[in-house]
Amino acid sequence: MRHKKIAALLMSASILAGSYRVFALVPPNGSTTVIEGVCRIPEIEVTVPATGSVYINPLQLPVWIDSYSEDNQILSFPDAIQNQSEIPIIVNATVTGQVGESSDMILSTVSTKNAGFTSKRVFIYFEMMPANVENVLYWDYSSIEWVQAYDPAKHILVQNASNTKNNIITLAAAGKEGCCGAFRLAGDCVSFPTNEWNGNDQLTIGVAFTFEAVPPDQI
């Protein structure tokens, strides 16, 4: 009996040191376990303002927006969207402009500054930047470092046809710094066109946002 115990110990040591072979043990009564897999897809939820305002200011008169004075030729009150999803998202934007029926205004594809235009032209573009806050209710737009000149790689030109820019900005997950994105309209216009500016010179701009999840390998 003593020799049998030693042999058993040696056999155990040999099994531990060698390779493993796996055998499926089937219960005698043939019962099985069913494991169901469910795909969990996070919901994308974003707060987007419904309306906004933009002003054409040819003579660069001082205009108070909130508590700040601005004198740009194109003035808009900056607004922001907020990602309330549990994941970071990519933002795409489509911008469409429409001149009022009673206006002879032209949407210019180039800046009007020092261009010698005499017709009533407006050069206007959409800009979006990250706002380093966690809630759009507590942000100061004066802290946003807007780009000071039109950049086709970053901005969307406003024209009668729709223009789209994919991945214009990436927003962090809800509750994190960078989950908000600020946007505005900027540009310039002809100060003294042959046909003077008047109250009929109106412009409607539509901005449509679409969102998609950031791929896991890019988070």
Side-chain angles (χ1 to χ4, degrees), residues 39-113:
C39 180
R40 182 176 180 274
I41 301 176
E43 293 185 358
I44 293 180
E45 183 178 355
V46 185
T47 299
V48 179
T51 60
S53 298
V54 59
Y55 303 95
I56 301 172
N57 185 26
L59 302 183
Q60 295 186 264
L61 301 174
V63 177
W64 287 89
I65 298 179
D66 198 2
S67 57
Y68 302 94
S69 177
E70 302 282 357
D71 61 359
N72 297 324
Q73 287 189 314
I74 303 300
L75 293 168
S76 68
F77 182 82
D79 218 322
I81 64 175
Q82 180 175 347
N83 182 20
Q84 295 182 326
S85 315
E86 61 182 326
I87 57 171
I89 60 172
I90 295 170
V91 179
N92 310 312
T94 298
V95 179
T96 306
Q98 182 177 358
V99 176
E101 293 182 358
S102 301
S103 174
D104 58 349
M105 174 172 39
I106 298 172
L107 291 175
S108 179
T109 58
V110 295
S111 174
T112 65
K113 290 183 178 180

Side-chain angles (χ1 to χ4, degrees), residues 105-126:
M105 174 172 39
I106 298 172
L107 291 175
S108 179
T109 58
V110 295
S111 174
T112 65
K113 290 183 178 180
N114 304 316
F117 294 128
T118 58
S119 55
K120 194 180 295 180
R121 291 175 177 263
V122 174
F123 175 70
I124 187 168
Y125 58 89
F126 177 85

Side-chain angles (χ1 to χ4, degrees), residues 118-139:
T118 58
S119 55
K120 194 180 295 180
R121 291 175 177 263
V122 174
F123 175 70
I124 187 168
Y125 58 89
F126 177 85
E127 179 176 11
M128 196 165 194
M129 298 289 287
N132 293 323
V133 293
E134 299 174 4
N135 194 313
V136 293
L137 299 178
Y138 308 103
W139 73 292

